[in-house]
Structures are given as structure tokens and as C-alpha cells.
């Protein structure tokens, strides 16, 4: 997927930033597609810092657009669908500093789906301003870690090999754990 995006960026280089932002918005609205391939394309095309900045802007815009979209379309969705994620359920009734802190902290946790946080905030009572600020600030550490990982893997340096090794070990552990009763 990264290669296809890179070809597209090269073909339409004068529009590459806009294309990246649009793809990030689409990924955010879908809520289930990982953005790592787009981060990789951004870093490979724009360089590490510029690519990370483009990814950050795209993910921030995408989160806000998703928030607005979800709020308009799903405001009346039952809370029951979110009960599996107790921290996310707390977000439904939160506002002000509490909402900011919850959104910020949930964005820092890599195992909490980004789309789920956006969805819960959108159907809750959080204002768009608080959501945008907390979501964007919370994405900074996660995106820097993702960018560092992607960069080192694409450069295939020692750090990239170690990162892939750790990911492989975690995946193997997860598969073995799942098969054991």
C-alpha cells in the first residue's frame, strides 16, 4: 500500500500534501484502517520531520472531521456498544478538563483504537474545541513513536531490525497464548 501511495505522490507531487491530508481524513472517518502505511509514505516522500508533520496534520484534521461526522450521524447510538471499553465509556459524560484529560490519555495508549475514542467523544458531550486540542496533543507522542519505527524499518538499520524482531516475538507470543487453553 505504501508503494502505491508513493507512486501517487510522485505522479502528483504538487498535490502530495493535499492528497496525504485527504487520505488521512478518509482513514480517520473509516475508523478501522491503520494509518501506518500513510505515515511510511509521508516519511519516505517528504523526509522524516516533514513527513511526520504532514502525518500529524492529517491525523489531527482527520480526527476533527470524523468527530463532526460521527456527531451528526451517530449522536443517539446506544452506550451498550461501548461497554467493553470502560475508560472510553467515562468519556461519554465528561466535559471540560476531565474530557481533555481522558481524550489526551486515551490517545497516548496504543492499544485503544483511535476511531473508538473519536466515536465516544462525538456521541458524548465533549465540545469540538476540547476534542481537537486533546486529540492533537495526545497524538504527538504516539505519532513520533510510529514515525521513528517506520523510519528505522524502512532504512533497515539496526534499530529497525530490533523493532521488527520485538514485533515478531510479540506476535508469536500472542499466537501461542491464543492456542493454549
Amino acid at each position: 500500500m505504501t508503494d502505491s501511495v508513493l507512486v501517487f505522490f510522485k505522479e502528483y507531487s504538487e498535490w502530495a500534501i493535499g492528497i496525504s491530508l485527504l487520505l488521512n481524513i478518509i482513514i480517520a472517518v473509516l475508523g478501522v484502517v491503520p494509518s501506518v502505511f500513510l505515515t511510511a509514505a509521508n516519511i519516505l516522500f517528504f523526509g522524516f520531520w516533514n513527513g511526520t508533520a504532514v502525518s500529524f496534520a492529517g491525523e489531527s484534521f482527520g480526527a476533527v472531521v470524523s468527530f463532526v461526522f460521527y456527531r451528526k450521524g451517530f449522536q443517539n447510538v446506544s452506550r451498550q456498544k461501548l461497554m467493553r471499553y470502560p475508560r472510553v465509556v467515562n468519556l461519554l459524560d465528561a466535559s471540560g478538563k476531565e474530557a481533555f484529560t481522558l481524550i489526551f490519555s486515551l490517545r497516548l495508549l496504543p492499544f485503544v483504537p483511535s476511531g473508538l475514542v473519536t466515536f465516544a467523544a462525538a456521541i458524548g458531550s465533549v465540545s469540538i474545541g476540547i476534542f481537537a486540542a486533546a486529540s492533537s496533543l495526545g497524538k504527538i507522542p504516539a505519532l513520533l513513536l510510529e514515525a521513528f519505527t517506520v523510519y528505522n524499518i524502512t532504512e533497515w538499520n539496526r534499530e529497525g531490525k530490533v523493532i521488527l524482531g520485538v514485533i515478531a516475538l510479540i506476535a508469536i507470543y500472542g499466537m501461542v497464548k491464543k492456542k493454549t487453553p
Side-chain angles (χ1 to χ4, degrees):
M1 190 70 139
T2 299
D3 292 336
S4 300
V5 174
L6 274 173
V7 168
F8 206 64
F9 282 175
K10 288 175 186 169
E11 182 85 18
Y12 301 99
S13 59
E14 65 276 1
W15 297 98
I17 291 175
I19 292 168
S20 179
L21 295 175
L22 181 62
L23 288 174
N24 255 314
I25 290 169
I26 292 168
I27 289 169
V29 169
L30 293 175
V32 292
V33 178
S35 64
V36 69
F37 74 89
L38 186 54
T39 300
N42 286 338
I43 288 171
L44 290 170
F45 188 77
F46 299 108
F48 181 80
W49 290 110
N50 290 337
T52 301
V54 170
S55 289
F56 173 74
E59 288 194 22
S60 294
F61 290 142
V64 171
V65 169
S66 297
F67 178 89
V68 171
F69 180 74
Y70 296 164
R71 177 150 286 176
K72 298 239 184 257
F74 300 103
Q75 185 78 45
N76 299 322
V77 169
S78 168
R79 292 170 180 246
Q80 293 301 107
K81 296 185 189 232
L82 298 172
M83 294 312 271
R84 291 187 320 174
Y85 301 93
R87 285 188 172 173
V88 175
V89 171
N90 292 338
L91 184 54
L92 293 174
D93 297 322
S95 61
K97 284 183 183 178
E98 181 187 15
F100 182 93
T101 303
L102 278 168
I103 294 166
F104 179 80
S105 62
L106 288 168
R107 287 289 191 227
L108 293 174
L109 301 173
F111 52 86
V112 177
S114 183
L116 187 63
V117 175
T118 303
F119 184 75
I123 66 170
S125 56
V126 177
S127 74
I128 191 167
I130 288 175
F131 173 79
S135 181
S136 295
L137 290 173
K139 282 181 179 288
I140 292 172
L143 187 58
L144 285 173
L145 180 61
E146 181 180 312
F148 174 78
T149 302
V150 164
Y151 176 77
N152 284 299
I153 290 172
T154 58
E155 290 293 310
W156 197 238
N157 57 25
R158 184 173 25 154
E159 290 87 358
K161 292 173 185 174
V162 169
I163 290 168
L164 278 181
V166 169
I167 291 170
L169 289 173
I170 291 169
I172 291 168
Y173 175 78
M175 287 187 284
V176 168
K177 185 84 170 158
K178 189 184 265 190
K179 289 187 180 191
T180 7

